[in-house]
Amino acid sequence: MSVATFDILLASLRSGLAFQDTTMRRSISPEERLLLTLRFLATGNSFASLHYEYLLGISTISGIVCHTCQLIWQRLREAVMPTPTADDWLRIADGFYQSSQFPNCIGALDGKHIRVKKPPHSGSQYFNFKQYFSIVLLALVDSNYRFIIVDIGDYGSTADSRIFCSSRMGERLRANQLALPEPRRLPRSSASAAPFVIVADEGFALSPHVMRAFPRRDLDDRKRIFNYRLSRARRYVECAFGILSNKWRVFTMAIQLDPATVDSVIKACCVLHNYAREYSQDIDMESQLPVINTAMNWGPGRPTNSGVRVQDTFADYFLTSEGAVPWQYSCVGGVQAIQWI
């Protein structure tokens, strides 16, 4: 984060970080409070280590980090992660089509396990299928690696599909309360209009607004091409998680805090991630990406008939001259070629 970006961030938070001096002692300045919090988020250093760096008590550091993270979420969320409108969804869909050639896509959805120290008396609630304790960050991401909607705080033992179904995002999607635009025709296609969809992995159930890949058995060229085209759009959420973890190194180790404070830390990092994307455009975020683990997180959920029809609509479109891209057959190992006009 550049000095100019830090100054803009400090100006947004200063009033909430300023405390009154007393006759007993001077208050800790807003600059030092914000620097301390960013240092913790960017390095993951323990409070005991920060105690020697900043010459502050461990309990004081704990209170500063917790308060500042909550303030970052409260002050900046509406500015850098606003509730999307119909026009916002259209802009996001245009971005996905330009970057990944997947039309009518309004976001890539996935969950990330944030490693934590086992909370007291929690049993196996936080123990996930990767064999460690975690809290789940469920996120919807656009083609600029920005978080659109996040859901934070579910147990690590809960499958992504269950988290999505019980989340406010999933409930509003099923109730048609996300202000999604009306279905529109796929680019250069004369077929009937297709709905706007979210792309996700096999851990989520297929529905009219959530697209997932075809099962890996009995794949023909049509299904392989659809899976390839969907994976090109879905990779943005994986890359966003990689950027988040690489920039805010607190996520590279088990966070030694209580679950409520961990939730505040995750919220603050998600907001700061979007803030950095908006105010630090000179930084090449893609160069910071680590190697991505592409293992699938299988979860429950039966596909709906309407979801299958929408999936078939996209699969058929990707085989037409209007929807195909020149390299798709070579990428899936097929032998069919397309004549381009």
Side-chain angles (χ1 to χ4, degrees):
M1 182 180 293
S2 65
V3 175
T5 304
F6 176 83
D7 290 340
I8 297 173
L9 178 61
L10 179 62
S12 302
L13 303 175
R14 180 180 290 277
S15 61
L17 296 176
F19 291 83
Q20 186 176 5
D21 294 335
T22 68
T23 56
M24 300 295 295
R25 62 178 64 86
R26 297 179 60 185
S27 64
I28 300 172
S29 66
E31 291 84 355
E32 189 169 5
R33 288 175 176 270
L34 183 56
L35 279 171
L36 174 62
T37 303
L38 294 178
R39 178 69 174 176
F40 169 72
L41 299 178
T43 64
N45 288 350
S46 66
F47 292 162
S49 175
L50 295 173
H51 158 69
Y52 291 103
E53 294 181 34
Y54 289 87
L55 301 180
L56 297 172
I58 294 177
S59 60
T60 302
I61 292 174
S62 176
I64 289 174
V65 168
C66 183
H67 172 260
T68 306
C69 286
Q70 293 173 355
L71 186 67
I72 289 173
W73 173 259
Q74 294 168 2
R75 293 287 181 89
L76 299 182
R77 188 189 68 83
E78 288 297 330
V80 301
M81 200 186 299
T83 302
T85 63
D87 291 337
D88 293 330
W89 292 124
L90 290 173
R91 175 182 53 79
I92 293 169
D94 292 340
F96 268 104
Y97 184 68
Q98 293 175 6
S99 60
S100 64
Q101 293 76 52
F102 199 105
N104 288 19
C105 177
I106 57 171
L109 177 70
D110 203 2
K112 176 177 175 59
H113 288 272
I114 306 299
R115 188 187 295 264
V116 298
K117 180 182 177 181
K118 179 182 180 299
H121 314 295
S122 62
S124 60
Q125 288 178 322
Y126 291 90
F127 196 70
N128 62 35
F129 71 99
K130 298 181 179 181
Q131 307 299 307
Y132 60 82
F133 296 93
S134 65
I135 288 176
V136 179
L137 161 62
L138 185 72
L140 186 68
V141 174
D142 67 12
S143 60
N144 194 34
Y145 311 105
R146 290 167 54 98
F147 294 114
I148 307 170
I149 302 174
V150 295
D151 184 87
I152 300 164
D154 278 279
Y155 300 131
S157 60
T158 309
D160 289 348
S161 61
R162 293 187 182 276
I163 296 173
F164 178 66
C165 288
S166 61
S167 68
R168 186 180 178 189
M169 172 172 48
E171 292 175 351
R172 294 183 65 187
L173 181 64
R174 289 193 300 274
N176 295 322
Q177 296 177 350
L178 281 182
L180 297 184
E182 292 297 321
R184 68 178 181 184
R185 289 182 178 179
L186 300 178
R188 303 186 301 277
S189 174
S190 58
S192 58
F196 287 84
V197 298
I198 294 169
V199 294
D201 63 18
E202 289 92 333
F204 297 88
L206 182 66
S207 70
H209 291 293
V210 179
M211 291 291 100
R212 52 176 274 181
F214 285 103
R216 298 183 184 182
R217 61 184 182 276
D218 301 327
L219 289 176
D220 53 20
D221 279 352
R222 171 176 169 275
K223 293 180 179 179
R224 288 192 182 95
I225 288 171
F226 175 83
N227 289 358
Y228 166 69
R229 297 290 293 273
L230 183 137
S231 69
R232 294 187 74 244
R234 196 182 65 82
R235 65 190 171 94
Y236 285 94
V237 66
E238 303 281 3
C239 292
F241 287 151
I243 295 169
L244 180 74
S245 297
N246 199 50
K247 191 172 189 66
W248 307 107
R249 312 278 306 171
V250 68
F251 296 131
T252 61
M253 60 197 74
I255 303 178
Q256 309 286 321
L257 301 174
D258 64 272
T261 306
V262 173
D263 290 353
S264 297
V265 167
I266 299 172
K267 289 177 181 179
C269 288
C270 290
V271 167
L272 290 172
H273 170 90
N274 282 9
Y275 181 86
R277 294 296 296 166
E278 180 173 347
Y279 290 99
S280 301
Q281 295 295 334
D282 56 324
I283 299 176
D284 181 11
M285 290 295 186
E286 294 193 25
S287 65
Q288 303 182 25
L289 297 181
V291 177
I292 296 174
N293 181 4
T294 58
M296 297 299 182
N297 179 16
W298 296 90
R302 292 180 178 273
T304 62
N305 291 333
S306 55
V308 172
R309 288 194 294 269
V310 174
Q311 188 183 42
D312 288 337
T313 298
F314 280 93
D316 294 337
Y317 172 74
F318 292 147
L319 291 179
T320 65
S321 58
E322 293 83 8
V325 293
W327 60 86
Q328 64 184 24
Y329 287 99
S330 60
C331 289
V332 300
V335 296
Q336 186 174 353
I338 297 179
Q339 297 295 327
W340 294 90
I341 300 176

